Amino acid sequence: AGLLACIYESYSAHELPMDILPWEGGQMQLLQAKHIRTHAEKTRRVRQGICDRCGRQAFEFLRRAFLTCLDKKELRLLYFARLCFARGREVLRLRTHPAVLPLADAVTHMRRERELLLGFLRFSEYRGVLVSEITPKNRILPLVSAHFCDRFHGEALLIFDKTHKEALLYANGRREFRRMEALRLPALREEEAAWQALWREFYQAIGIRERENPTC
């Protein structure tokens, strides 16, 4: 929503910024800066404008690209939005356009990371709550939340993204995302610790040492 408000401001003020930075963690600039507040109506108008001009697929592409770890993604997405309004529904066919190609590559990278996470994420039980800590490069939580909430329907679970300091909470059929600086967990129950030890022993037993690839 904040990014869409920035896109609206760029159009209404006829300005092209040198950069767009999040309010939290943004670096100080030597040049003049403008603080853009999130505004529901401005956000709605930009979203609706992109959907009307290019279709919902283009807006979904923008939303997913916003979740990537691409450098200067906010500024790149501003240029993509401007291309949407200029070229209409053909925009997603312009794969080699400099306003599209880096975003498309970043979304592909994020999709692969999501697929790996769906297959390899594991939970530990702490006092009746299933907990997992992840360190993804991209903001994966919004893209995997439905999968794990459906898979563990009836359970209480917490997935903490240490990279982006946010958590997915799910219980009693409700899910929400929260900012979280750190996660301090109680000691593992003896049974849970035993299961983890068995898993590590199994992994070591079936692993082929000559084919180990820690980087991968």
Side-chain angles (χ1 to χ4, degrees):
L3 174 65
L4 297 182
C6 289
I7 293 173
Y8 181 95
E9 178 67 20
S10 175
Y11 266 93
S12 62
H14 303 287
E15 295 175 345
L16 274 178
M18 295 182 64
D19 204 354
I20 300 176
L21 300 172
W23 178 251
E24 66 280 2
Q27 296 180 355
M28 294 296 294
Q29 302 291 307
L30 294 176
L31 302 179
Q32 183 179 0
K34 179 185 289 188
H35 179 205
I36 308 301
R37 294 187 179 276
T38 302
H39 189 284
E41 177 59 20
K42 294 176 181 179
T43 294
R44 186 197 67 78
R45 290 180 62 178
V46 173
R47 180 176 63 246
Q48 191 63 49
I50 293 175
C51 290
D52 291 345
R53 182 74 172 144
C54 304
R56 293 195 59 85
Q57 187 178 2
F59 181 76
E60 180 62 19
F61 175 79
L62 184 149
R63 189 184 72 86
R64 286 179 174 258
F66 180 75
L67 298 176
T68 68
C69 59
L70 181 64
D71 186 45
K72 294 187 178 296
K73 63 185 176 185
E74 293 86 359
L75 190 62
R76 294 177 187 272
L77 286 169
L78 168 61
Y79 287 118
F80 173 75
R82 297 181 73 90
L83 186 66
C84 285
F85 291 121
R87 303 292 289 270
R89 293 183 178 271
E90 69 168 332
V91 67
L92 290 182
R93 296 196 296 271
L94 306 175
R95 284 293 301 244
T96 58
H97 193 285
V100 180
L101 182 59
L103 296 173
D105 289 344
V107 169
T108 298
H109 174 267
M110 181 175 66
R111 184 172 65 248
R112 291 171 179 166
E113 188 176 41
R114 173 185 178 273
E115 292 170 355
L116 287 173
L117 198 65
L118 292 180
F120 290 105
L121 185 70
R122 294 294 179 265
F123 291 90
S124 298
E125 184 179 356
Y126 292 87
R127 300 176 184 174
V129 179
L130 300 177
V131 179
S132 182
E133 295 185 71
I134 59 176
T135 54
K137 294 181 179 179
N138 302 283
R139 289 184 61 196
I140 296 294
L141 276 185
L143 303 179
V144 302
S145 62
H147 170 85
F148 288 109
C149 292
D150 291 343
R151 181 180 177 185
F152 294 102
H153 183 71
E155 302 281 353
L157 64 88
L158 184 155
I159 304 177
F160 175 48
D161 181 346
K162 297 173 67 176
T163 306
H164 303 96
K165 307 296 183 184
E166 61 184 357
L168 164 68
L169 307 176
Y170 175 78
N172 301 319
R174 295 181 57 229
R175 61 179 170 177
E176 63 179 86
F177 298 93
R178 289 188 182 179
R179 292 289 300 171
M180 185 179 291
E181 291 299 320
L183 179 63
R184 291 182 292 274
L185 295 169
L188 281 172
R189 293 186 302 113
E190 185 175 341
E191 182 182 4
E192 178 67 24
W195 278 113
Q196 291 193 11
L198 284 172
W199 172 255
R200 285 192 292 270
E201 185 175 342
F202 170 74
Y203 177 80
Q204 292 167 2
I206 67 170
I208 302 174
R209 188 174 299 277
E210 289 74 18
R211 297 182 62 184
E212 285 185 1
N213 187 343
T215 302
C216 181

